[in-house]
Amino acid sequence: MRQANTGKSDSAPGLQNGKQWRIVEFARLALAALAALVVGMPSALAQKPAGYPARLVRVIVPYSPGIGVDTLARVIAAKLTERIGQAVIVENKAGASGLIGTEMAARAAPDGYTLVMAVNSLVITASTRSVPFDPIRDFAPVIKIGAGAFLLTIHASLPVRDVNELIAYARARSGKVNYGTPGAGTPAHLATELFKQQAGVDLFHVPYKGMPPSVIGHVNGDVLVMIAPLEMVRPHVAAGRLKVLATTGAQRSPSLPDLPTIAELGYPNVSLDLWYGLLAPAGTPHGIVAWLNAEVTKLLALPEVLEILRKQEIAASPGTPAEFGMLIRDDLAKWKKVVATTHIRIED
């Protein structure tokens, strides 16, 4: 039962407890701030590991040359070569929606001489099928490099002007309007399937073997609808071969501020940003991981690197290895839930 207000002074027990609570709360917030500072300190204060690197470092890109993740890897490799005094090279090991190169990296010696460029296909593919590695257990997160946007585009021949008109057009031709992706189980595939389910439309899936051939098929009109990275379709939009209807990002693209997001059009679950990051094989010494994190963080602040990323529509967003690891775990859980609750079918 609540006691009546006795009108006593600040020496009353309730007020004393209030003061104590404020002191405890202040101490808690101070400790939280200190903890946050400490989390960021290992990379910022990382010392160069003794004897490392003593030879060439390779960065595996599990996709074809020429796409955004490959371009980004080559920028990082070139700048790391300048900074660390050893050659850092890129090896493209494409195939099976990135599984071949990623598995190769997972099985490499955990000595800091093999890294892999990862995108969120890593966790999305693992949430849709059995893969020959564990995206959490088999890798040591090094750093999240940045994130970019996907666009919902249509072939210029399609007589629609916005997302609502696309939905109406597809509903009137159920199953006859197709969409392309770089492969089953890729981010573009799951995002389009989510859009289909939320919009109540039936689009026919045409999987390609990689992003470049899927974009070529889209430009040629072989597939009418597509969700693809902005940097891959921008020149075709500018040339009038494709029309862009929306972005899948959580927020509007800074370079296309008038373009709506699919979420704000009434489909909140269709939110997808393409993140990029560096991983090492599990068991790579913490000192090497922390030092690589610090070096990449420094080069991501260079004006020339930021300009290259801007042209690729990638926003630099480095953080600690622990933060990148949390992102991977959260994304894996998110997409597993999406697959389980929507019953999205992944074609073999």
Side-chain angles (χ1 to χ4, degrees):
M1 179 180 298
R2 179 179 295 179
Q3 294 181 347
N5 187 347
T6 61
K8 291 185 179 180
S9 67
D10 286 358
S11 62
L15 292 177
Q16 287 179 343
N17 290 340
K19 288 182 178 179
Q20 292 171 354
W21 179 88
R22 287 192 293 273
I23 293 171
V24 170
E25 180 67 5
F26 177 80
R28 185 189 67 79
L29 292 173
L31 287 173
L34 180 60
L37 179 62
V38 170
V39 167
M41 286 177 61
S43 296
L45 302 179
Q47 299 296 314
K48 188 175 185 299
Y52 177 84
R55 53 186 172 84
L56 178 147
V57 177
R58 66 173 179 161
V59 178
I60 295 176
V61 174
Y63 303 99
S64 304
I67 65 175
V69 63
D70 177 67
T71 301
L72 180 56
R74 294 181 187 279
V75 171
I76 298 298
K79 289 299 180 180
L80 273 179
T81 297
E82 296 174 5
R83 294 188 63 87
I84 70 177
Q86 283 288 344
V88 181
I89 65 167
V90 170
E91 291 186 7
N92 294 91
K93 301 292 182 182
S97 299
L99 295 181
I100 292 175
T102 306
E103 181 185 11
M104 185 180 297
R107 306 293 176 244
D111 53 13
Y113 290 97
T114 299
L115 306 172
V116 62
M117 278 291 299
V119 296
N120 46 355
S121 291
L122 172 78
V123 292
I124 291 177
T125 303
S127 69
T128 60
R129 66 179 76 172
S130 176
V131 296
F133 54 82
D134 186 299
I136 297 174
R137 186 181 62 244
D138 291 338
F139 293 100
V142 176
I143 188 170
K144 176 191 173 188
I145 294 171
F150 283 91
L151 297 183
L152 172 63
T153 60
I154 59 172
H155 190 261
S157 65
L158 218 56
V160 302
R161 294 168 296 179
D162 55 37
V163 172
N164 288 331
E165 288 189 2
L166 172 62
I167 292 171
Y169 183 89
R171 284 176 179 169
R173 298 161 180 80
S174 183
K176 295 181 180 179
V177 178
N178 61 13
Y179 75 95
T181 71
T186 57
H189 179 209
L190 264 67
T192 312
E193 287 293 318
L194 278 172
F195 173 67
K196 282 174 51 179
Q197 293 193 3
Q198 290 202 2
V201 295
D202 183 13
L203 304 175
F204 180 72
H205 181 207
V206 180
Y208 287 80
K209 293 184 178 179
M211 184 61 74
S214 67
V215 172
I216 292 173
H218 191 27
V219 172
N220 291 340
D222 298 326
V223 289
L224 298 177
V225 180
M226 194 167 178
I227 287 179
L230 193 157
E231 46 92 11
M232 292 292 295
V233 296
R234 178 188 281 277
H236 305 297
V237 172
R241 293 184 286 266
L242 300 176
K243 291 188 285 188
V244 57
L245 303 185
T247 175
T248 66
Q251 299 177 342
R252 294 192 177 199
S253 168
S255 62
L256 297 168
D258 296 329
L259 187 68
T261 68
I262 295 180
E264 72 184 74
L265 294 174
Y267 309 99
N269 291 336
V270 188
S271 180
L272 175 68
D273 287 313
L274 178 63
W275 55 252
Y276 304 81
L278 272 177
L279 301 172
T284 301
H286 172 74
I288 291 177
V289 169
W291 184 70
L292 286 171
N293 178 283
E295 291 302 307
V296 175
T297 298
K298 292 172 186 175
L299 69 85
L300 287 174
L302 298 174
E304 63 268 28
V305 173
L306 290 174
E307 178 61 16
I308 293 172
L309 266 61
R310 186 192 64 78
K311 291 180 178 178
Q312 294 292 321
E313 299 293 341
I314 299 171
S317 53
T320 66
E323 290 168 340
F324 187 29
M326 182 64 70
L327 172 64
I328 293 172
R329 289 190 293 273
D330 288 348
D331 253 18
L332 183 60
K334 167 191 170 181
W335 288 107
K336 280 186 174 181
K337 183 178 180 181
V338 167
V339 172
T341 57
T342 58
H343 308 291
I344 292 174
R345 184 172 66 88
I346 304 302
E347 303 93 333
D348 294 328

